C-alpha cells in the first residue's frame, strides 16, 4: 500500500484509539491473548495494540474484521460504524450518515449559517462540541483549502455523535460559550426565519 493510501487508515486507527477508555483497552487486550501475555502487558494504548495486530496479520487496511469483532465485543458500535464507513468509502474516511429527525431542518439551517459566518474560530467551536484533535486533523487533511467544508464536516461529526440529542440550542450555547455571540444571534434569526 502506498503511503498516501495508508494515511487515512492511520487517522482512523488513531481516532479509534483516542476514543477508547482504559477499561475498554484492557478488555480488547484480554481478547487478544495470542499476542502473548508479556507483550500485552507492555501495550498502553490502542495504537500499540493495533500495531501488534498488524504485525500478526490480524489487521490491515483491507481486513478489519478482527478489529470490528473486538469493538463489537466491548459494545462500541459507534467505533464499529466508523470502521464500516471507512470500507463503504473504498478505503477512504467517510462521514457516517446522520439520522433525519424532527430537528434536522433547523440543524441544517444552523450548520449552513455557522459555516457561512464563523470563519477561523471554527476550531474553538469544534473543541467546545467535543470534537477530538484526531477528528480535527482528519477534517483538515480531507479539505486542506476549503474552510467551509471543514466547518460543515466538524458540525456533521458533532451531529452524528450527539444523535437525537443534537439541537440548535446546543449549538447556540456552544457559540456563546466561545464568545461568538454575533454568530449565535445570526443562527437564531436564520432558524426562526426558516420555519
Amino acid at each position: 500500500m502506498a503511503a498516501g493510501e495508508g494515511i487515512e487508515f492511520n487517522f482512523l486507527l488513531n481516532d479509534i484509539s483516542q476514543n477508547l477508555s482504559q477499561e475498554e483497552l484492557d478488555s480488547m487486550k484480554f481478547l487478544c491473548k495470542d499476542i502473548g501475555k508479556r507483550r500485552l502487558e507492555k501495550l498502553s494504548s490502542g495504537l500499540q495494540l493495533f500495531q501488534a495486530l498488524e504485525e500478526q496479520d490480524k489487521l490491515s487496511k483491507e481486513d478489519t474484521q478482527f478489529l470490528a469483532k473486538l469493538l463489537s465485543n466491548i459494545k462500541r458500535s459507534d467505533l464499529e460504524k466508523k470502521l464500516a464507513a471507512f470500507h463503504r468509502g473504498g478505503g477512504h474516511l467517510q462521514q457516517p450518515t446522520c439520522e433525519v429527525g424532527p430537528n434536522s431542518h433547523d440543524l441544517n439551517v444552523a450548520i449552513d449559517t455557522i459555516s457561512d459566518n464563523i470563519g477561523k474560530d471554527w476550531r474553538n467551536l469544534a473543541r467546545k462540541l467535543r470534537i477530538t484533535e484526531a477528528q480535527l486533523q482528519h477534517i483538515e487533511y480531507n479539505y486542506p483549502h476549503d474552510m467551509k467544508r471543514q466547518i460543515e464536516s466538524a458540525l456533521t461529526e458533532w451531529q452524528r455523535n450527539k444523535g437525537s440529542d443534537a439541537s440548535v440550542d446546543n449549538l447556540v450555547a456552544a457559540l456563546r460559550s466561545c464568545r461568538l455571540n454575533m454568530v449565535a444571534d445570526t443562527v437564531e434569526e436564520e432558524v426562526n426565519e426558516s420555519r
Side-chain angles (χ1 to χ4, degrees), residues 10-135:
N10 291 339
F11 276 128
L12 175 67
L13 293 181
N14 187 45
D15 186 37
I16 291 172
S17 177
Q18 288 189 359
N19 282 288
L20 293 173
S21 69
Q22 186 59 49
E23 183 179 329
E24 290 167 335
L25 177 61
D26 290 342
S27 295
M28 289 176 77
K29 286 165 49 175
F30 177 78
L31 297 168
C32 297
K33 292 209 175 197
D34 48 339
I35 289 177
K37 186 177 179 181
R38 284 191 177 168
R39 179 143 190 223
L40 281 173
E41 288 174 355
K42 293 179 183 177
L43 302 178
S44 61
S45 73
L47 285 178
Q48 291 174 344
L49 176 62
F50 302 153
Q51 185 176 18
L53 292 173
E54 285 178 323
E55 290 169 5
Q56 291 198 333
D57 293 325
K58 291 189 175 197
L59 177 62
S60 69
K61 178 183 169 193
E62 294 78 23
D63 183 9
T64 59
Q65 287 183 337
F66 189 74
L67 178 56
K69 285 180 187 176
L70 291 175
L71 294 171
S72 175
N73 277 305
I74 64 166
K75 311 282 191 261
R76 287 302 302 266
S77 61
D78 59 324
L79 298 178
E80 237 184 313
K81 287 177 186 175
K82 285 186 179 193
L83 207 52
F86 177 79
H87 284 289
R88 274 196 314 275
H92 297 287
L93 288 167
Q94 301 288 312
Q95 295 294 332
T97 308
C98 294
E99 290 128 28
V100 176
N103 306 350
S104 65
H105 173 72
D106 289 351
L107 278 171
N108 288 337
V109 171
I111 288 170
D112 287 343
T113 303
I114 292 169
S115 298
D116 290 337
N117 292 284
I118 195 168
K120 63 181 173 62
D121 293 320
W122 75 271
R123 287 172 198 80
N124 293 334
L125 175 64
R127 289 182 185 103
K128 183 63 73 175
L129 295 171
R130 299 182 187 267
I131 303 296
T132 66
E133 288 301 317
Q135 290 168 319

